[in-house]
Amino acid sequence: MGMGRPREFNAETALDQAMEVFWRHGYEGATIAQLTEAMGINPPSLYACFGNKEGLLKAALDRYTKLRGVWMDEVVAAPTARDVAERMLMGIAEKQTDPANPPGCLLVQGGIACGSGSENVPFELAARRAQNEDQLRDRFVRAKAEGDLKPTSDPAALARYVSAVSVGMGVMASSGSDREALRQVAVVAVQAVEAQSADRT
Amino acid sequence: MGMGRPREFNAETALDQAMEVFWRHGYEGATIAQLTEAMGINPPSLYACFGNKEGLLKAALDRYTKLRGVWMDEVVAAPTARDVAERMLMGIAEKQTDPANPPGCLLVQGGIACGSGSENVPFELAARRAQNEDQLRDRFVRAKAEGDLKPTSDPAALARYVSAVSVGMGVMASSGSDREALRQVAVVAVQAVEAQSADRT
DNA sequence: CCAGATATGTAGTGTTCACTACAGATGTGG
DNA sequence: CCACATCTGTAGTGAACACTACATATCTGG
């Protein structure tokens, strides 16, 4: 039996375009018409490949978190907890205002509140953000074990904090804050992590 | 000439219900059917009173910021910049997880990204958030003048920072974080403001 | 009690939405 | 070159959306 007509579009390239539409308009604000036009395909191709609108979102999120994961690995590779926070938040100030992408973060812009029928979309995004937070927490646990963070510090709370600041910066970026404003926030935010760091000998 | 049939519903009570629907589902996720049912009125009454869906949102935002303004006045009445930040962020941890309201903050849940035709909704919310930030900034400017904050500190940056943390906490709350998790974030966040405070004599 | 004015409830309006039926096109295995 | 499988484009589908026409009800001023 034959293997059928091969697909004429590249799934990853198409996903990049879909990602941008979701990023800019949110899950509910993005229409199939906008998505198909950006992806350069027709609705039947979209549904054959991704199932439905939510399936397309998940695929776009997978791609987003995969690309972001590479960067996060560099972030947690910083030598100290303070440097991890700085590299993370300063990097976010850059990325969230990169004119090559829509402002803000897809994991926030994608949809914080949704209508009936899409209630699980916000949870889907939250689950991806939690992955980042877990990665930070693990790194801070290590920092505490290494004596980099004070014995009284709470790595999980620190990770939650850095994650919260990241999200807040994303919302600011999407509503017009420029890169310099975000950098100022990052600089202040890092000082809280510094306050939890052991004194240098 | 007569003055017409009087309205049979209370506008403020109805707005409270509409507020909750926008809060829980966002602007685009909230339907007129949900809104009218929650408000206990029919569509013609809604349109006669608020113009259209966006007009209703603005009225709900007005009411939200008015109620919130009372609390913000208490926040900035705290004696020091550090206490202002603590009162603000700890209060937010309480309010965003108050079971009497939907989780999070209407100024975030209302809509961060919107589809074509509602592009100005996110800006509308951002403008209201900016009011809070301005109030914080003014308070921190005063704190600096009073010697409460270090001469090297940047009141505008500090206000932006506290505002960003607030927003981040709101997103966390809406995606399931409990009150204790938010309190932990607040405790850490306050330390950055403390780092900008002058040493006590 | 009547005229004018505004509110209300019923029952729609046109539009846009996510999604798909179907026919033709393009590939593979035998 | 034929049977089969999968993709593609055209052209829709029913449902849900924001919004409203209209008849009726309830008020005030005279």
Side-chain angles (χ1 to χ4, degrees):
Chain A
M1 28 180 165
M3 290 169 70
R5 177 175 175 176
R7 130 175 344 137
E8 293 183 0
F9 64 95
N10 178 282
E12 292 200 334
T13 305
L15 266 185
D16 284 338
Q17 307 305 319
M19 213 171 71
E20 168 146 351
V21 175
F22 281 131
W23 200 335
R24 199 173 296 278
H25 298 292
Y27 176 74
E28 293 193 304
T31 68
I32 298 291
Q34 286 174 323
L35 289 164
T36 52
E37 182 179 351
M39 297 166 85
I41 62 178
N42 289 309
S45 299
L46 189 159
Y47 284 90
C49 191
F50 302 105
N52 55 18
K53 191 181 176 185
E54 195 168 331
L56 176 61
L57 174 72
K58 287 183 185 172
L61 291 178
D62 283 340
R63 183 152 172 78
Y64 183 79
T65 51
K66 186 180 169 187
L67 296 175
R68 200 183 174 87
V70 175
W71 174 68
M72 274 300 292
D73 289 343
E74 296 174 17
V75 166
V76 297
T80 66
R82 194 212 92 96
D83 290 339
V84 167
E86 184 175 46
R87 199 179 285 189
M88 167 113 181
L89 296 176
M90 282 299 197
I92 281 186
E94 296 281 320
K95 296 168 93 71
Q96 316 249 21
T97 57
D98 183 348
N101 298 324
C105 168
L106 175 60
L107 301 187
V108 175
Q109 301 296 312
I112 292 302
C114 277
S116 308
S118 312
E119 293 94 346
N120 44 335
V121 166
F123 288 108
E124 195 71 37
L125 302 194
R128 317 270 175 160
R129 293 194 302 268
Q131 288 178 12
N132 271 4
E133 187 183 310
D134 287 347
Q135 202 170 352
L136 280 176
R137 189 202 54 208
D138 291 346
R139 179 62 184 85
F140 289 152
V141 165
R142 197 188 98 197
K144 185 175 178 180
E146 289 173 343
D148 170 23
L149 285 171
K150 286 181 181 170
T152 57
S153 67
D154 182 343
L158 266 183
R160 255 196 288 269
Y161 163 75
V162 172
S163 186
V165 174
S166 305
V167 169
M169 289 172 67
V171 173
M172 287 178 56
S174 77
S175 53
S177 293
D178 64 11
R179 184 168 291 180
E180 191 49 33
L182 295 190
R183 282 210 193 98
Q184 290 179 352
V185 170
V187 168
V188 175
V190 167
Q191 299 183 8
V193 179
E194 213 162 335
Q196 291 298 324
S197 298
D199 300 331
R200 291 310 181 84
T201 53
Chain B
M1 30 178 164
M3 289 170 69
R5 176 176 176 175
R7 128 173 349 132
E8 292 182 1
F9 64 95
N10 178 282
E12 292 199 335
T13 305
L15 266 185
D16 283 338
Q17 306 306 318
M19 213 171 71
E20 166 145 349
V21 175
F22 282 132
W23 199 336
R24 199 174 294 280
H25 298 292
Y27 176 75
E28 293 193 303
T31 69
I32 298 291
Q34 285 175 324
L35 289 164
T36 52
E37 184 181 349
M39 299 166 84
I41 61 177
N42 289 309
S45 299
L46 190 158
Y47 285 91
C49 189
F50 303 104
N52 57 18
K53 190 181 176 184
E54 196 168 332
L56 176 61
L57 174 72
K58 287 182 184 171
L61 292 178
D62 283 341
R63 182 152 173 77
Y64 183 79
T65 52
K66 186 180 169 188
L67 296 175
R68 200 185 174 84
V70 176
W71 173 68
M72 274 300 291
D73 289 343
E74 298 174 16
V75 166
V76 297
T80 66
R82 189 206 109 59
D83 290 340
V84 167
E86 184 177 45
R87 199 179 283 190
M88 166 113 181
L89 296 175
M90 280 300 196
I92 281 185
E94 296 281 320
K95 296 168 94 69
Q96 315 249 19
T97 58
D98 183 349
N101 298 323
C105 168
L106 175 59
L107 301 187
V108 175
Q109 301 296 311
I112 293 303
C114 277
S116 308
S118 312
E119 293 95 346
N120 44 335
V121 166
F123 289 108
E124 195 70 36
L125 302 194
R128 317 269 176 161
R129 293 195 302 269
Q131 288 177 12
N132 271 4
E133 187 183 308
D134 288 346
Q135 203 171 352
L136 279 176
R137 187 202 54 209
D138 292 346
R139 179 62 184 85
F140 288 153
V141 165
R142 198 188 97 195
K144 184 174 178 179
E146 291 172 343
D148 170 24
L149 285 171
K150 287 180 180 170
T152 55
S153 66
D154 182 344
L158 265 184
R160 254 196 288 270
Y161 162 76
V162 172
S163 185
V165 175
S166 305
V167 169
M169 288 172 67
V171 173
M172 285 178 57
S174 77
S175 54
S177 293
D178 63 12
R179 183 168 290 180
E180 190 50 33
L182 296 189
R183 282 211 194 97
Q184 290 180 352
V185 170
V187 167
V188 175
V190 167
Q191 300 184 6
V193 180
E194 215 162 334
Q196 291 298 323
S197 298
D199 299 330
R200 290 308 180 83
T201 53

